[in-house]
Amino acid sequence: MATKKKKSGDNIIAVNRKATHDYFIEDRYEAGMSLQGWEVKSLRAGKANISQSYVIVKDGEVLLLGSTINPLQSSCAFVVSDPDRTRKLLLHKKEIDKLIGHSQRQGYTLIPLRMYWKGSWAKIEVGVAKGKQDHDKRDSIKDRQWDREKSRIMKKSF
């Protein structure tokens, strides 16, 4: 029997939908997360939110701030859980150095794009991004609407 290979996006936990609207995404990095046991159970139940979160580099470590992982009532009876705690992201030293260069010297912002399962490991995709201005946002909306209209016209012609 042939085994079906899974893509990394098959088991998505949370997506930051505003990121592509508010930023130009220049580069993407995959990072692991340092989690506690109750957080893993909550992620399996899909109780995560990364829409208001951001990534910083501090003392040579990459940290995820502002993300929320709501605890399950059944698994967190004896554990003191902080849903908004700062989580350490796990990257190689070369990747951390690149992120430091982008964020401090070149004026880019580091934002989480999506959280997903890769095998049994929870991963997060970090985007190196530049902010969009209002006219850029309007242009991207127009382009998206034109693409939809083109696909409708092509469907009708065939």
Side-chain angles (χ1 to χ4, degrees):
M1 275 197 245
T3 58
K4 192 174 179 182
K5 203 172 195 180
K6 284 190 173 183
K7 295 179 186 175
S8 63
D10 283 349
N11 297 319
I12 294 176
I13 301 166
V15 177
N16 188 354
R17 295 188 192 277
K18 280 188 93 172
T20 55
H21 179 71
D22 292 338
Y23 298 97
F24 292 114
I25 309 298
E26 301 288 328
D27 203 4
R28 297 168 188 260
Y29 292 93
E30 181 182 69
M33 291 185 291
S34 178
L35 299 172
Q36 295 176 352
W38 66 269
E39 292 174 322
V40 176
K41 286 185 175 186
S42 295
L43 287 179
R44 292 215 183 271
K47 299 201 175 269
N49 184 7
I50 59 170
S51 62
Q52 298 294 320
S53 61
Y54 56 97
V55 177
I56 62 167
V57 181
K58 184 177 180 182
D59 298 330
E61 292 183 341
V62 182
L63 304 172
L64 177 68
L65 293 123
S67 65
T68 304
I69 299 176
N70 293 323
L72 295 174
Q73 295 299 323
S74 61
S75 66
C76 298
F78 302 106
V79 178
V80 177
S81 57
D82 181 17
D84 297 322
R85 77 176 184 91
T86 302
R87 293 168 183 88
K88 183 177 176 183
L89 298 183
L90 308 172
L91 291 159
H92 291 286
K93 183 67 176 164
K94 288 181 182 179
E95 292 174 331
I96 294 172
D97 292 339
K98 285 182 184 178
L99 290 177
I100 289 172
H102 284 304
S103 65
Q104 291 179 354
R105 282 170 263 165
Q106 297 174 0
Y108 284 93
T109 304
L110 304 176
I111 53 170
L113 301 174
R114 63 190 179 111
M115 192 182 293
Y116 57 93
W117 292 106
K118 187 172 185 181
S120 62
W121 301 99
K123 301 286 185 175
I124 192 159
E125 187 175 46
V126 177
V128 178
K130 271 222 190 255
K132 284 185 183 178
Q133 294 180 350
D134 287 336
H135 62 86
D136 293 329
K137 292 178 188 179
R138 286 192 294 268
D139 290 342
S140 63
I141 290 170
K142 285 180 188 175
D143 290 341
R144 223 181 2 226
Q145 288 175 344
W146 173 239
D147 288 340
R148 283 188 200 132
E149 189 64 32
K150 278 195 301 190
S151 66
R152 287 184 190 132
I153 290 170
M154 293 301 287
K155 275 186 178 178
K156 288 180 182 178
S157 65
F158 288 113

